[in-house]
Amino acid sequence: MSGQKLVEPICVRVNDAARMIGVGRTKLYELIANGELETVKLGKATRVTTASLHKLVERHRALN
């Protein structure tokens, strides 16, 4: 083992974000449009912050 630590990304692609929380791309884009997820534009690419994914899951856990 090289001793390197795995680093959690601070933002991910839309498809990866959808997969991470178990929804489809359409639902993920709805969450973005509703302001429930934070995105970052890097050139033409849209990325979803992992912090906003964690916050979304925590908000929904608190409702249940």
Side-chain angles (χ1 to χ4, degrees):
M1 193 137 181
S2 63
Q4 293 179 344
K5 293 182 182 180
L6 292 177
V7 177
E8 181 181 344
I10 59 173
C11 58
V12 293
R13 293 179 173 147
V14 169
N15 287 344
D16 295 332
R19 196 173 315 114
M20 288 171 71
I21 61 172
V23 300
R25 283 175 26 126
T26 302
K27 180 63 177 178
L28 193 90
Y29 279 114
E30 285 177 23
L31 294 168
I32 292 168
N34 292 337
E36 294 190 60
L37 289 174
E38 180 183 7
T39 60
V40 176
K41 283 293 262 188
L42 300 171
K44 293 182 181 181
T46 299
R47 299 291 186 254
V48 179
T49 65
T50 53
S52 70
L53 292 169
H54 288 284
K55 289 176 188 174
L56 174 75
V57 170
E58 287 303 316
R59 282 194 306 272
H60 285 267
R61 282 184 65 193
L63 296 174
N64 294 324

